[in-house]
């Protein structure tokens, strides 16, 4: 059995480490930049348009134009990290897009865009970073997935499929890369309301066709997102950023970090045997 990766860097090393974070124009990515900077890390923050950056400025922050859908753009971002700071210790694959839609009428172009960003994008970043990690003797990959990778939700068939693919990629890589001292961790937030990501996802939904037959379930599903859960049930952007930082500095080889009690509950449900999970799934989606 392959051993889990353990991070043996000293506290001094951690303070001078460099992280590259994708998708930093808003949300989790922007919050993660702030968290890493507060911990005295060097940060390369990628976004398609650096002019959109509205976070803090620092001599330890390098903004970099990059699109994870473009292999050359990704390679240039990784090169920027090593040229500016001399090394690259962690990559955080945070860039992603959501999709809430009826699968039957979702255009293939929209499906391909989701997979190109949420699955192939992280693959491009990882492949660009691995030669750097090999030269340095190790590194860490943090992939931001979703609670829907554990329990897929209605009208998120494509999004859930992409995040499930990212999780499976990550788990497989923990074995492949262990001997090269490269660790892989997945962060799985639950639903985080009030974010630009959710607003953009909803706007995309409104632009796609929704057949009348699906309307009752669509409205019921959307209504579930607007309910007010108990305090602390849903994660905040800051909590997700904290989980990303914890994953980047992990010393235990832990594969998965769930953020938010909703994501934790999905994990517990999925941890049942098939009979127990089937009973939970029927009650959760029809109760």
């Amino acid at each position: 059995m392959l051993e889990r990766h353990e991070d043996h860097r000293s506290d001094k090393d951690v303070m001078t480490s460099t992280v590259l974070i994708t998708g930093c124009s808003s949300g989790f990515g922007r919050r993660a930049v702030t968290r890493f900077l507060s911990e005295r890390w060097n940060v390369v923050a990628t976004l398609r348009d650096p002019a959109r950056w509205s976070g803090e400025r620092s001599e330890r922050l390098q903004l970099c134009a990059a699109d994870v859908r473009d292999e050359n753009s990704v390679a240039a971002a990784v090169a920027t990290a090593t040229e500016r700071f001399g090394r690259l210790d962690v990559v955080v694959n945070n860039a992603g897009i959501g999709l809430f839609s009826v699968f039957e009428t979702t255009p293939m172009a929209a499906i391909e865009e989701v997979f190109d960003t949420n699955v192939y994008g992280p693959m491009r970043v990882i492949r660009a970073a691995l030669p750097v990690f090999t030269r340095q003797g190790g590194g860490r990959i943090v992939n931001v997935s979703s609670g829907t990778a554990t329990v897929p939700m209605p009208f998120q068939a494509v999004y859930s499929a992409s995040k499930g693919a990212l999780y499976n990629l990550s788990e497989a890589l923990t074995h492949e890369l262990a001997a090269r001292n490269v660790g892989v961790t997945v962060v799985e937030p639950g639903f985080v309301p009030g974010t630009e990501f959710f607003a953009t996802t909803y706007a995309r939904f409104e632009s796609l066709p929704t057949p009348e037959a699906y309307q009752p379930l669509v409205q019921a599903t959307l209504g579930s997102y607007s309910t007010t859960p108990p305090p602390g049930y849903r994660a905040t952007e800051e909590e997700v950023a904290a989980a990303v930082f914890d994953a980047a500095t992990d010393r235990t080889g832990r594969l998965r970090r769930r953020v938010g009690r909703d994501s934790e509950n999905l994990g517990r449900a999925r941890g049942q045997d098939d009979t127990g999970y089937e009973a939970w799934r029927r009650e959760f989606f029809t109760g």
Side-chain angles (χ1 to χ4, degrees):
M1 181 179 293
L2 291 173
E3 295 182 357
R4 293 292 187 192
H5 169 87
E6 293 187 5
D7 192 337
H8 297 291
R9 291 177 294 169
S10 68
D11 291 339
K12 179 179 178 182
D13 291 330
V14 170
M15 290 181 67
T16 57
S17 295
T18 299
V19 60
L20 183 150
I21 308 172
T22 66
C24 295
S25 61
S26 63
F28 304 154
R30 186 170 57 197
R31 299 289 186 181
V33 170
T34 299
R35 179 57 188 265
F36 278 94
L37 287 175
S38 73
E39 299 286 349
R40 307 297 299 170
W41 279 56
N42 300 321
V43 179
V44 177
T46 80
L47 53 170
R48 281 184 284 180
D49 180 8
R52 289 194 61 196
W53 176 250
S54 59
E56 67 180 279
R57 303 283 177 168
S58 169
E59 62 182 11
R60 288 179 287 103
L61 172 63
Q62 174 67 56
L63 298 177
C64 182
D67 185 341
V68 298
R69 298 171 299 179
D70 184 304
E71 186 173 354
N72 292 330
S73 176
V74 168
V78 170
T80 295
T82 56
E83 290 167 5
R84 170 71 190 275
F85 297 115
R87 61 181 295 112
L88 177 61
D89 300 278
V90 176
V91 293
V92 176
N93 283 305
N94 169 72
I97 58 174
L99 183 64
F100 185 93
S101 66
V102 174
F103 176 75
E104 181 182 353
T105 53
T106 301
M108 279 304 303
I111 296 173
E112 290 167 358
E113 182 184 14
V114 169
F115 272 78
D116 201 16
T117 305
N118 294 358
V119 182
Y120 306 141
M123 287 181 173
R124 293 182 186 104
V125 174
I126 292 167
R127 286 167 66 95
L130 283 177
V132 178
F133 290 164
T134 298
R135 291 195 299 270
Q136 295 174 171
R140 177 161 291 279
I141 300 160
V142 179
N143 292 327
V144 179
S145 183
S146 165
T148 65
T150 300
V151 177
M153 297 293 168
F155 308 114
Q156 296 186 52
V158 175
Y159 179 72
S160 296
S162 72
K163 290 302 188 177
L166 180 60
Y167 174 81
N168 287 331
L169 169 72
S170 303
E171 184 169 354
L173 289 181
T174 63
H175 304 300
E176 289 189 31
L177 301 178
R180 297 172 67 180
N181 197 36
V182 176
V184 185
T185 306
V186 181
V187 174
E188 289 194 359
F191 177 50
V192 182
T195 62
E196 184 175 327
F197 180 86
F198 180 74
T200 302
T201 299
Y202 185 74
R204 286 165 59 84
F205 158 69
E206 290 189 312
S207 70
L208 296 174
T210 302
E212 186 63 33
Y214 290 96
Q215 284 291 348
L217 182 56
V218 166
Q219 295 308 314
T221 303
L222 289 174
S224 70
Y225 294 141
S226 62
T227 59
T228 303
Y233 184 76
R234 291 172 175 165
T236 64
E237 291 181 349
E238 290 82 1
E239 288 170 336
V240 175
V244 168
F245 180 80
D246 289 345
T249 55
D250 178 68
R251 298 171 185 270
T252 67
R254 177 180 171 186
L255 170 61
R256 184 181 235 156
R257 277 178 164 76
R258 300 185 187 277
V259 194
R261 290 213 305 272
D262 53 347
S263 182
E264 293 170 359
N265 289 344
L266 296 180
R268 280 191 289 271
R270 198 75 201 209
Q272 304 177 77
D273 61 25
D274 288 343
T275 301
Y277 176 70
E278 281 298 319
W280 175 90
R281 188 173 70 91
R282 290 192 187 98
E283 181 178 358
F284 182 82
F285 288 108
T286 62

